[in-house]
Amino acid sequence: MKTWSDIAKVQPLASKVIINSMKKGRVSHAYLLQGERGTGKEAIARLIAKGLFCEDKQGVEPCHTCNACKRIDSRNHPDVHWIEPEGQSIKIEQIKNLQKEFTYSGVESNQKVYIIVGADTLTLNAANRILKFLEEPSKKTTAIMLTENSQAIIPTIRSRCQVIDLQPLNPSHFQQQLIDAGVQEKSAKLLSSLTNNFDEAIAWNEDEWFATARKLMVQLVEVFADQPDDAYLFIHNHWVTNFKERKEQEQGLDLLLLAFKDILYFHIGNEDRLIVFTPGDERLEKLGMYFSQEKLVDILHHLLQAKQKLKQNVNPTLVMEQLTLQIQR
């Protein structure tokens, strides 16, 4: 999604609100863009920034080819500042550095923009510090805050922003986009259940690590059913060594969620909703005989708890060990 026309196709309401503001010359001093991954938050943030700096706009549509537009795309524009989490959070030192930058005049104009990616990860001190910008906005300063978890944004920040809700993308439409790009239908179905980001889905589809992750996910589910006493060893010998980074660990749990949901769908006769397995798969029938509906609901609950623990920075190996014991019970 590179133009407002692209955004309008998937986020018609959000694009209409922002475009109308731009036409009237009333760009908000602070936006909070909230929506799932892949719904266009960063694309919208870039377009707002381009709209303020573009040297050759056509109406509200930036040219995308001028020096300013190119530098915004490459994150090298001196008056457009990007703030992203360092580790698991955005720290107060990052906000202090931003404040220092804003004490200087704009390099090429008096306009300044700062874009905070993952605004829900602001530490409490950092969030309180950012309030100074929001409470005393300069006419030439625009804040754009992006979040997947709007509930984690403190109320004092929310109340000072124009909140833009982004709607989830249509999974079937996204799945067809992937198929049109050459992704096999089964893989497209799986990828569209894990992400709404086209570039990310294509990268995963071509990544050997992701192919290995899919195999390990199915193998682990089968180990739980066929050799439950070996599950703990499988976690340490195969799972932990493959899922090393936090994003990979979260993705591993997402894959397990899809697999166990498939077994539950098999139980209740919703085989048209299968993602990991296919109707008539002997492995699915065998897993359906081993796991009861009651047990599957319990496992899905524990998987969601495990995902939450990862977000709370609990040791990932400990999370998987606990999950394994819970599934074995």
Side-chain angles (χ1 to χ4, degrees):
M1 294 183 284
K2 295 183 178 180
T3 67
W4 283 116
S5 297
D6 293 336
I7 297 294
K9 292 176 184 176
V10 293
Q11 299 294 347
L13 183 58
S15 62
K16 184 177 181 180
V17 169
I18 298 171
I19 287 171
N20 285 343
S21 298
M22 296 177 76
K23 285 180 177 178
K24 296 175 182 177
R26 297 178 181 172
V27 173
S28 176
H29 77 280
Y31 290 101
L32 176 60
L33 307 181
Q34 55 186 34
E36 296 175 3
R37 181 168 33 165
T39 48
K41 295 185 291 297
E42 288 195 24
I44 292 172
R46 281 194 300 271
L47 284 168
I48 293 173
K50 286 181 179 180
L52 296 169
F53 291 101
C54 179
E55 300 159 7
D56 191 23
K57 281 192 298 183
Q58 300 295 318
V60 297
E61 195 70 67
C63 70
H64 306 289
T65 58
C66 70
N67 193 33
C69 284
K70 288 180 178 178
R71 285 186 295 170
I72 289 170
D73 278 333
S74 63
R75 297 195 180 187
N76 287 322
H77 197 289
D79 295 322
V80 179
H81 302 269
W82 292 78
I83 305 293
E84 295 188 276
E86 289 185 355
Q88 297 298 311
S89 63
I90 296 173
K91 301 171 177 61
I92 190 169
E93 289 78 13
Q94 293 174 265
I95 304 304
K96 287 180 179 178
N97 290 335
L98 180 67
Q99 287 178 312
K100 185 177 180 181
E101 288 287 338
F102 273 66
T103 61
Y104 307 129
S105 298
V107 174
E108 298 177 8
S109 72
N110 290 326
Q111 179 72 53
K112 281 182 175 285
V113 172
Y114 62 97
I115 301 168
I116 300 181
V117 180
D120 51 286
T121 68
L122 283 159
T123 64
L124 183 58
N125 287 336
N128 288 329
R129 190 98 182 190
I130 208 75
L131 279 174
K132 182 174 178 61
F133 284 132
L134 301 177
E135 291 171 343
E136 303 172 10
S138 162
K139 290 182 180 179
K140 293 291 186 178
T141 298
T142 302
I144 308 173
M145 309 181 75
L146 318 180
T147 181
E148 295 178 29
N149 181 14
S150 59
Q151 299 304 312
I153 305 294
I154 61 174
T156 45
I157 286 181
R158 290 182 60 86
S159 65
R160 288 163 176 79
C161 296
Q162 180 175 358
V163 179
I164 304 291
D165 289 304
L166 303 181
Q167 300 303 309
L169 300 186
N170 185 314
S172 59
H173 174 71
F174 182 59
Q175 185 178 325
Q176 189 58 50
Q177 278 186 302
L178 295 174
I179 293 172
D180 292 342
V183 178
Q184 292 184 356
E185 184 176 351
K186 182 173 175 59
S187 293
K189 199 170 185 179
L190 175 64
L191 290 165
S192 64
S193 299
L194 294 169
T195 180
N196 286 324
N197 187 301
F198 180 81
D199 292 336
E200 186 174 55
I202 294 297
W204 288 352
N205 187 59
E206 299 171 351
D207 190 348
E208 289 185 13
W209 177 89
F210 184 71
T212 301
R214 292 173 65 172
K215 291 178 183 177
L216 287 175
M217 169 262 293
V218 175
Q219 288 172 0
L220 178 56
V221 174
E222 291 179 328
V223 166
F224 279 127
D226 299 335
Q227 300 166 301
D229 291 339
D230 293 339
Y232 194 83
L233 281 176
F234 185 92
I235 289 294
H236 280 275
N237 293 340
H238 301 286
W239 191 271
V240 173
T241 56
N242 190 70
F243 298 90
K244 297 177 182 178
E245 302 297 327
R246 186 57 54 96
K247 285 186 178 180
E248 294 173 352
Q249 293 153 3
E250 292 178 355
Q251 194 174 66
L253 292 177
D254 285 336
L255 286 167
L256 286 173
L257 274 167
L258 292 176
F260 280 108
K261 280 181 180 178
D262 271 12
I263 305 170
L264 184 59
Y265 290 145
F266 171 79
H267 265 288
I268 61 181
N270 275 3
E271 292 189 53
D272 57 321
R273 299 184 64 179
L274 298 181
I275 302 294
V276 174
F277 300 98
T278 54
D281 191 324
E282 291 183 2
R283 295 175 302 173
L284 181 59
E285 294 182 11
K286 186 176 181 180
L287 292 167
M289 291 178 64
Y290 182 81
F291 294 104
S292 68
Q293 288 189 40
E294 183 180 4
K295 179 62 178 177
L296 289 166
V297 171
D298 185 57
I299 290 172
L300 292 174
H301 173 70
H302 289 309
L303 279 164
L304 291 173
Q305 282 187 327
K307 285 191 65 176
Q308 188 61 36
K309 288 174 184 176
L310 282 183
K311 290 184 180 298
Q312 295 169 347
N313 291 326
V314 178
N315 181 282
T317 301
L318 178 61
V319 169
M320 287 307 300
E321 288 175 348
Q322 291 176 336
L323 178 63
T324 299
L325 292 173
Q326 290 164 337
I327 294 176
Q328 285 176 321
R329 288 174 187 164

